[in-house]
């Protein structure tokens, strides 16, 4: 019954801003690192940003560094992606990811994705 539900994707003009949200349920949210990934048509799914379970540490892909900010609210079981200075190449389906360590490796959960289209 683990669910990750993304929201906020829409059509936006180049240079504009957008905030994506991902609400998690069915898991102990504060024990999971969270991430945002994106996949454009014909491309592989790429990591965009990650954040530790406490929110103390973040990592960003070079392509979005300085433009995007990942954050989380553990009381609301929600992770956010603030996207500024959007470019057409940011157009993709954006996916929310939750990950934690297990004895045999890592446990991953994915949301259904939300479409972001950057176009004038």
């Amino acid at each position: 019954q683990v669910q990750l539900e993304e929201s906020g994707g829409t059509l936006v003009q180049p240079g504009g801003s957008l905030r994506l949200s991902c609400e998690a349920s069915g898991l102990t949210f504060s024990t999971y690192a969270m991430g945002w990934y994106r996949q454009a048509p014909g491309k592989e799914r790429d990591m965009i940003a990650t954040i530790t379970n406490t929110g103390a540490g973040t990592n960003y892909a070079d392509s979005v560094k300085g433009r995007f900010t990942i954050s989380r609210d553990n009381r609301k079981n929600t992770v956010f992606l603030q996207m500024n200075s959007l470019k057409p190449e940011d157009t993709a389906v954006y996916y929310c990811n939750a990950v934690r360590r297990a004895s045999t490796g890592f446990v991953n959960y994915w949301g259904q994705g939300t479409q972001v289209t950057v176009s004038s």
Side-chain angles (χ1 to χ4, degrees):
Q1 292 185 327
V2 172
Q3 291 191 69
L4 304 178
E5 186 174 358
E6 301 100 334
S7 61
T10 189
L11 173 66
V12 63
Q13 293 184 353
S17 296
L18 202 60
R19 191 193 198 202
L20 305 182
S21 299
C22 172
E23 185 175 358
S25 60
L27 51 74
T28 305
F29 186 73
S30 62
T31 69
Y32 284 79
M34 302 296 296
W36 286 97
Y37 293 69
R38 69 186 183 189
Q39 186 169 21
K43 300 287 188 179
E44 297 294 323
R45 186 175 298 184
D46 293 327
M47 186 276 291
I48 300 304
T50 60
I51 188 166
T52 60
N53 64 314
T54 66
T58 58
N59 279 305
Y60 297 93
D62 287 342
S63 59
V64 306
K65 198 170 299 181
R67 299 189 298 123
F68 291 10
T69 303
I70 188 171
S71 61
R72 67 190 294 161
D73 186 339
N74 283 356
R75 296 186 66 185
K76 297 180 178 179
N77 286 4
T78 303
V79 63
F80 305 95
L81 184 67
Q82 178 65 47
M83 304 184 293
N84 299 324
S85 302
L86 283 162
K87 306 174 181 179
E89 50 262 47
D90 295 319
T91 296
V93 178
Y94 284 71
Y95 296 92
C96 178
N97 168 256
V99 62
R100 66 170 176 86
R101 287 188 62 189
S103 60
T104 57
F106 291 89
V107 177
N108 274 282
Y109 297 103
W110 295 91
Q112 80 289 344
T114 185
Q115 177 71 49
V116 173
T117 301
V118 185
S119 177
S120 57

